[in-house]
Amino acid sequence: MKEKYDVTGMTCSACSSRVEKCVSKLNGVRNVSVNLLTNSMQVEYDEQILSDKQIIDAVVKAGYGADHSLGNFSANVQQAVRTAASENPAEKEQKNMRIRLIISFVFLIPLMYVSMGHMAGLPLPSFLDGVENAVSFAFTQFLLCLPIIYVNRKYYSKGFQTLFHLAPNMDSLIAIGSCASLVYGIFAIYRMSYGLGHGDMELVHRYYHDLYFESAAMILALITVGKYLEARSKGKTSEALTKLLDLSPKTAVVERSGREIEIPARQVQAGDIVIVRPGSSIPVDGFIIEGNTSIDEAAITGESIPVHKQVNDTVIAATMNKTGFIRFKATRVGDDTTFSQIIRLVEEASSSKAPIAKTADKIAGVFVPVVITIALITAIAWLATGASFEFALSCAISVLVISCPCALGLATPVAIMVGTGKGAENGILIKSGEALETAHHIQSVVLDKTGTLTEGKPVVTDVETILSQRKFLEIAAGLEAKSEHPLAEAILEFTRKQKIVPAAVTDFVSIPGQGIKGKIDGTWYYAGNRRMMEEQGISLMSLDSRLNDLADEGKTPMLFGSDQGILGILSVSDVVKPTSREAVRQLKEQGIEVVMLTGDNKRTAQAIRKQLDIDTVIAEVLPQDKEREIARLQEQGKTVAMVGDGINDAPALARADVGMAIGAGTDVAIESADIVLMKNDLLDAVTAIRLSKAVIRNIKQNLFWAFFYNSLGIPVAAGLFYHAFGLKLNPMIGAAAMSMSSIFVVTNALRLKRFRVSEVSGESGETEKSFVQEAVLQSNDMIEKENQEVTNMITMKINGMMCPHCQAAVKKALEAFDGVTADVNLEDKAAYITGDADVQALKKAVIDAGYEVVGIE
C-alpha cells in the first residue's frame, strides 16, 4: 500500500533525513521518501504488518507532525477542501512569516541604532551615553532583543527539541548560535554591574562594546528574511500543479430522471449522461453520444489547437468545450479520470527523490553534528592560543550560523519540482525523480514503428491510372465500399475527401488472399494483389519495376483491373508522422543511437529506415520478443529508453531503463511507463530527454554551490585566515550569507521555467509533407478540375443522424429528386450530393425528414 502524508516542522535536509530514518526503521515499511520542499512523505508499506497510526506516531516521536495528505484524494476533492478551508496552509505559514519579519525589523532597527549608532557618529540619548550608563545601554538592547526572540521562538523550540533527540538540524545551529550570543550579553550586563558597583571601570570598558545582543537579534531576523524569500520562491516552483488544480471542474450538468440537474463534479457516477455547453469544462472522462464540437485539450496534452470531436469520440476531464453542444456518457469519474491521474503523477514525481538527492540527504544527515563539533573545536582552539573569550565565542557562533544546510536540502527538490511541472505544462508526465535522472544517461532509444514513428493507420499516398482520375476513383470506391479489408477504409476515406460518389456495384465477390471483384454497368472489375490480377489473366509485366519501387518505399500497392487489362494502382501506406524525421535527427544530434523495432517485413522496415535515417532496424519482431531485444541492448552496457504505445509494448516499456508511453492520454499506459507523453508526437521524447539533462545539470550546479559555499565559509568563519589576512566573519554577516545561499539555489532552479520544448524546423516539416503527400495533393487538383468539367457536387453538413436508419432516411429524401445521387456518410455527418437540383429544395427535404442542415459547401 502507498500513502502520502503531510509532515510539519521540517526546516532543513537534516530534518527530512531524520524523519526518513525513523519511518524506514518500522517493520513492514518497503520504501519511504520525504520531500523537504513540499513538506510531504510517501510511504509504501505492508498494511498487514503496519498501521497508518504507527507511521504517524513514528514521525511525532521524532519531533515532527504528520497527517494524511490531500494528495491521497481526487483532484475534485482536493479542490473542494482547498475551497472550504479559509486559506492554504502554505499561504498561512507565509503570512505568519511576514508578520514575524515585520516585528523583527521594527525592533531590530532601534536595536542596531543603540548598539552601533555611536560608531557612525550618531547621537545617543544622554541616559544611554557614556561608560557610566553602561548597564542602561546594555539593558535597553536586551529589552529590544526580547520581542525579536519571542516572535522567532520556533527556532529555539524546534532546534533544542531535535538536539535533545540527538538529531540536530538547521534550527539547532541557529538556536545554539543566537542563544550563545544572548547568554553572553546577559553575562556581560552582570559583569558591568559588578564593575560599576566596585569602581572597576576597566572591567566595564571590557564588556561595554562586546554585548552581542545585536548579533542574536540580527541572526534571527536575517534567517527569517531568507526563509520568507525562500517560501515565496518555493511557491513559484509548484505553479504548474496549482494551475492544473485550478482547471479542475467544480460542477457538472447531468440528466437524471429526465431532468437536467447541476451537481458537484465529484458526485458524477460512471454511466451518467453529462451535458456540456459551449464555454464549459468537461467534468469527467467519457464518450460523446450526441453533437460535435471543438475541444481545447491544452491542459492535458499541451496542444494549443482545439481538436474536433464527434459521436463516439472520447472527451477528457478538465478540457474546455469551445463551440458545440454535446451530450456524453461518463466512463471514468473521481480518482479514475485522466486529469486526476495526471495530478497524482505530478505530485508523486515532485515528492519523489532522484538517486543524486539521496546522496545529498546522507551528507546532510551527518553535516549538522559535524558543524557543532567544528564550532566547539574552533572555540577551544582559539582559547588555547590565547585569544579572548569574546573572540573565540564570535568565531564559534559564526561557524554555527554560516553552516546551516538549507541550500543542501533544497538543491534537488526545487529543481525536480520545477522540471516535472514544466514537463506537465507541455504534456510530458515524468513519474519519478529516478526516471528524470536516468533519462539524462540514455544512450539508445528504441522506437516502435506503428503509432510511434508512423500515424498508425493506412492512408492513400499515390494514385496512378490510365483512366481519368475521377472515373478510376469512382470504380475503386464502388468496389471497396463492400470490402471488409483493412485497407478498404483508407481508400474510402480518401475518396470521400475527394467528394467521389462510389460506382454502383453488383455481383460482388470477396476472394480470400487475393482481393475482390464486382460488376459495374455489366463489366467485371477487379481489385487486389498481384496474384488476383494473374488469376484473372491480367498482365503486369509493364508494372514490375514500379511495383518493386513501391515495395522499396514501404508502400502496399492495390491493383485495379478489368476484362480489358490493368487500370491503375492505389498505393497505401502507414505514413510517417510529420515530426518523426526531425525527432530522429535531434536524438542523433545528442549522440543517442536510434533503433526501430517492428513486426513488419524487412523490406518495409528498410524503407522507413532510409526515409528517417535511423541507425538500426530490427524487423519481423513479435510483441513478446521486443522485451528480449531491449535486454540484449542493456547487456551491451547501454542505458536504453523504449518509446511505444504502452499497450502491446508494456513488457518492453517495463524492461527499459526508461519507458516512454506515447499518445497515451487516456490509456492504461499511464501505469506502465516511467514517462507518459500525452501528445502523439515523438518530439516530446526528445524534449523529455533534454528536460532531464537540464534538470540534472541544474541540480549539480545547486549541489556544487552548496558544497563550495560551506567549504569556503566554514574556514573563514572559524578564523583560519585571521592571522594571515586579518579575515574574520562577524556572526551577522554569516547569517546574511547563509540566507543568500538558499535564495541562490531556489532562484537557480527557477531558471528551468525558461526551458523551451523541441520543435520542428520549417524546412524539415516541408520536406516531410512533400515526401508523403505530393501525390495526394496532385490528385486533389485533378479531381477538382474534373468536378468542374463533369457535374456540380455539393456537400451538405447534417446534424441528428445517429444510425444507419437515419442515413437511409436522408439518402431517400435527397434521391427523391430526379437526377440526384447522394452519398450519405454517417461518420462525417454529411451528404455528398451530385446532380442538378435546387439547393434550397434539397435542404427543405432533409429538414422535413427530421434532421438539421448546419452547412452547405
Side-chain angles (χ1 to χ4, degrees):
M1 185 176 181
K2 199 178 208 180
E3 284 282 350
K4 188 174 180 184
Y5 301 85
D6 288 327
V7 180
T8 56
M10 296 191 300
T11 54
C12 70
S13 52
C15 299
S16 58
S17 182
R18 163 81 173 160
V19 173
E20 207 165 274
K21 279 179 187 173
C22 290
V23 176
S24 60
K25 285 177 184 175
L26 295 173
N27 186 29
V29 171
R30 298 193 187 101
N31 185 43
V32 57
S33 175
V34 180
N35 190 292
L36 173 65
L37 180 67
T38 55
N39 290 313
S40 64
M41 173 177 69
Q42 285 189 80
V43 184
E44 191 177 342
Y45 64 96
D46 187 342
E47 54 191 320
Q48 304 296 324
I49 301 173
L50 192 62
S51 72
D52 200 49
K53 185 177 182 300
Q54 286 173 292
I55 293 170
I56 292 174
D57 287 346
V59 177
V60 173
K61 190 177 178 183
Y64 304 90
D67 202 354
H68 281 100
S69 170
L70 270 179
N72 293 323
F73 305 103
S74 72
N76 285 327
V77 173
Q78 291 183 47
Q79 192 64 38
V81 173
R82 283 182 171 89
T83 303
S86 58
E87 55 187 331
N88 186 295
E91 289 175 0
K92 187 176 179 182
E93 176 65 22
Q94 196 171 313
K95 185 179 175 182
N96 289 339
M97 204 172 284
R98 186 164 58 244
I99 293 169
R100 280 167 48 192
L101 192 61
I102 292 168
I103 293 173
S104 296
F105 274 89
V106 163
F107 288 94
L108 180 66
I109 292 168
L111 172 60
M112 295 304 292
Y113 182 92
V114 171
S115 63
M116 295 185 170
H118 61 283
M119 296 180 187
L122 298 174
L124 278 175
S126 57
F127 66 90
L128 297 178
D129 198 14
V131 180
E132 62 277 9
N133 292 312
V135 172
S136 301
F137 175 73
F139 195 68
T140 300
Q141 291 182 48
F142 175 63
L143 291 177
L144 289 170
C145 195
L146 289 178
I148 300 171
I149 290 169
Y150 179 76
V151 294
N152 292 293
R153 63 192 179 280
K154 184 179 177 183
Y155 293 121
Y156 295 100
S157 59
K158 190 60 66 180
F160 287 119
Q161 184 183 27
T162 54
L163 186 63
F164 295 145
H165 277 102
L166 300 179
N169 64 359
M170 185 202 84
D171 289 341
S172 305
L173 298 181
I174 296 167
I176 294 169
S178 62
C179 194
S181 298
L182 185 69
V183 169
Y184 180 78
I186 294 170
F187 169 75
I189 290 175
Y190 279 102
R191 293 296 289 158
M192 287 189 294
S193 179
Y194 177 85
L196 287 170
H198 290 76
D200 188 351
M201 298 309 288
E202 186 185 342
L203 181 65
V204 176
H205 253 292
R206 191 193 313 164
Y207 288 101
Y208 184 61
H209 293 303
D210 283 322
L211 294 171
Y212 284 110
F213 287 122
E214 78 282 355
S215 290
M218 184 66 90
I219 288 169
L220 295 172
L222 288 177
I223 297 296
T224 305
V225 169
K227 283 287 178 187
Y228 176 68
L229 293 175
E230 185 185 299
R232 286 189 61 182
S233 299
K234 279 158 65 175
K236 291 179 183 177
T237 65
S238 57
E239 274 179 2
L241 189 58
T242 305
K243 285 178 185 174
L244 279 174
L245 279 170
D246 288 343
L247 290 171
S248 177
K250 314 299 183 294
T251 60
V253 177
V254 298
E255 282 186 3
R256 288 185 181 169
S257 305
R259 294 188 303 117
E260 288 185 20
I261 58 170
E262 187 172 4
I263 60 172
R266 62 184 178 276
Q267 292 180 11
V268 177
Q269 298 174 359
D272 275 347
I273 304 302
V274 184
I275 294 167
V276 183
R277 293 178 169 81
S280 299
S281 290
I282 308 291
V284 294
D285 292 2
F287 64 91
I288 297 174
I289 59 172
E290 181 188 337
N292 58 76
T293 185
S294 291
I295 291 183
D296 182 354
E297 297 184 338
I300 304 297
T301 66
E303 181 59 63
S304 58
I305 300 171
V307 180
H308 179 71
K309 300 280 186 176
Q310 55 193 20
V311 173
N312 291 328
D313 284 345
T314 57
V315 290
I316 307 172
T319 56
M320 178 67 71
N321 181 21
K322 302 292 282 185
T323 55
F325 170 89
I326 56 170
R327 292 170 70 239
F328 73 90
K329 188 171 186 178
T331 54
R332 294 181 180 183
V333 298
D335 290 347
D336 295 330
T337 66
T338 302
F339 180 73
S340 290
Q341 290 183 56
I342 290 171
I343 295 293
R344 192 186 77 245
L345 286 175
V346 175
E347 283 192 329
E348 285 181 1
S350 299
S351 301
S352 69
K353 284 187 178 174
I356 194 170
K358 292 176 182 176
T359 305
D361 281 354
K362 285 178 183 176
I363 295 168
V366 297
F367 188 76
V368 174
V370 169
V371 166
I372 293 173
T373 305
I374 292 171
L376 284 171
I377 291 170
T378 298
I380 293 166
W382 277 115
L383 288 170
T385 57
S388 67
F389 180 74
E390 295 83 0
F391 185 91
L393 180 66
S394 173
C395 289
I397 292 170
S398 294
V399 168
L400 289 170
V401 173
I402 202 169
S403 304
C404 295
C406 305
L408 199 60
L410 292 168
T412 302
V414 286
I416 287 179
M417 177 163 269
V418 177
T420 52
K422 192 68 185 176
E425 278 179 24
N426 293 285
I428 301 167
L429 303 182
I430 301 163
K431 294 173 70 173
S432 68
E434 188 171 354
L436 188 66
E437 182 172 345
T438 306
H440 95 287
H441 287 305
I442 288 170
Q443 296 163 299
S444 293
V445 171
V446 177
L447 306 171
D448 180 45
K449 180 182 82 73
T450 306
T452 302
L453 284 166
T454 65
E455 294 287 2
K457 63 176 185 177
V459 297
V460 174
T461 58
D462 300 87
V463 182
E464 302 167 57
T465 179
I466 60 171
L467 304 175
S468 72
Q469 195 99 6
R470 179 181 179 75
K471 179 67 176 172
F472 176 64
L473 290 176
E474 284 176 352
I475 294 168
L479 289 169
E480 298 294 348
K482 297 188 177 183
S483 171
E484 294 179 356
H485 194 278
L487 299 185
E489 182 55 39
I491 293 171
L492 289 172
E493 185 176 338
F494 178 79
T495 55
R496 278 197 294 268
K497 288 177 180 176
Q498 315 308 315
K499 301 179 181 178
I500 296 295
V501 178
V505 175
T506 58
D507 300 333
F508 177 84
V509 179
S510 176
I511 305 169
Q514 294 185 28
I516 54 177
K517 65 178 183 177
K519 278 186 179 179
I520 299 174
D521 296 331
T523 302
W524 280 103
Y525 288 89
Y526 311 96
N529 55 22
R530 179 189 287 266
R531 186 178 164 198
M532 176 77 171
M533 297 299 119
E534 288 172 349
E535 288 281 335
Q536 304 304 321
I538 298 171
S539 175
L540 299 176
M541 286 184 63
S542 62
L543 293 177
D544 277 346
S545 175
R546 179 59 183 151
L547 292 176
N548 286 331
D549 288 345
L550 289 170
D552 287 340
E553 292 170 17
K555 298 173 182 177
T556 303
M558 296 288 289
L559 304 170
F560 291 84
S562 70
D563 292 335
Q564 280 72 44
I566 193 74
L567 298 177
I569 305 170
L570 278 177
S571 298
V572 179
S573 173
D574 181 7
V575 296
V576 169
K577 292 176 186 174
T579 57
S580 292
R581 185 178 180 83
E582 178 69 9
V584 171
R585 186 190 68 76
Q586 289 189 25
L587 286 169
K588 293 176 72 173
E589 210 172 58
Q590 294 182 49
I592 297 171
E593 177 193 22
V594 181
V595 180
M596 182 178 82
L597 283 184
T598 179
D600 273 357
N601 61 69
K602 291 181 180 178
R603 199 170 190 176
T604 301
Q606 286 301 323
I608 300 291
R609 188 192 71 77
K610 283 167 62 179
Q611 196 174 331
L612 298 179
D613 192 25
I614 291 172
D615 296 314
T616 309
V617 167
I618 304 170
E620 299 174 3
V621 178
L622 296 173
Q624 58 268 34
D625 295 330
K626 289 181 180 179
E627 186 256 356
R628 194 179 301 129
E629 293 295 337
I630 299 288
R632 187 179 60 78
L633 285 168
Q634 289 172 327
E635 285 166 7
Q636 296 172 17
K638 295 176 180 175
T639 304
V640 182
M642 169 71 190
V643 185
D645 63 16
I647 304 168
N648 58 351
D649 296 321
L653 286 169
R655 164 65 70 176
D657 296 291
V658 178
M660 299 188 192
I662 190 169
T666 56
D667 208 341
V668 74
I670 277 182
E671 300 300 330
S672 67
D674 302 301
I675 297 174
V676 180
L677 311 176
M678 303 298 287
K679 286 182 284 187
N680 209 355
D681 189 342
L682 190 57
L683 272 174
D684 282 350
V686 182
T687 299
I689 294 170
R690 284 182 50 243
L691 181 62
S692 166
K693 289 181 177 180
V695 170
I696 298 304
R697 184 166 57 247
N698 193 280
I699 288 172
K700 287 178 177 176
Q701 289 168 354
N702 288 344
L703 288 174
F704 170 78
W705 168 256
F707 283 117
F708 171 77
Y709 165 82
N710 279 315
S711 300
L712 186 66
I714 291 175
V716 174
L720 291 183
F721 304 111
Y722 181 69
H723 287 308
F725 306 105
L727 201 61
K728 178 183 175 294
L729 208 63
N730 186 285
M732 291 183 287
I733 297 171
M738 191 281 289
S739 296
M740 287 306 298
S741 177
S742 298
I743 294 165
F744 173 87
V745 164
V746 176
T747 306
N748 187 47
L750 288 173
R751 289 190 309 114
L752 286 168
K753 292 171 83 69
R754 300 205 300 263
F755 178 84
R756 293 286 176 266
V757 298
S758 301
E759 294 178 348
V760 176
S761 62
E763 187 180 337
S764 175
E766 282 299 315
T767 304
E768 197 71 27
K769 180 179 176 183
S770 61
F771 185 87
V772 175
Q773 296 177 326
E774 184 179 0
V776 181
L777 296 173
Q778 288 175 355
S779 173
N780 289 352
D781 293 340
M782 292 181 71
I783 295 295
E784 283 299 319
K785 288 175 184 175
E786 290 176 16
N787 280 344
Q788 293 167 12
E789 292 167 5
V790 180
T791 183
N792 294 322
M793 175 180 278
I794 62 170
T795 301
M796 185 179 288
K797 294 289 185 181
I798 303 167
N799 268 356
M801 295 191 296
M802 302 292 291
C803 63
H805 175 75
C806 301
Q807 185 180 16
V810 172
K811 184 177 178 70
K812 183 179 178 183
L814 291 169
E815 292 187 345
F817 293 85
D818 290 337
V820 171
T821 304
D823 175 27
V824 182
N825 189 288
L826 198 59
E827 186 180 335
D828 293 350
K829 299 289 183 187
Y832 302 103
I833 306 163
T834 308
D836 294 318
D838 180 63
V839 174
Q840 293 305 317
L842 291 171
K843 181 179 177 180
K844 186 176 184 302
V846 173
I847 294 170
D848 289 345
Y851 303 93
E852 180 188 3
V853 177
V854 293
I856 297 175
E857 300 171 4

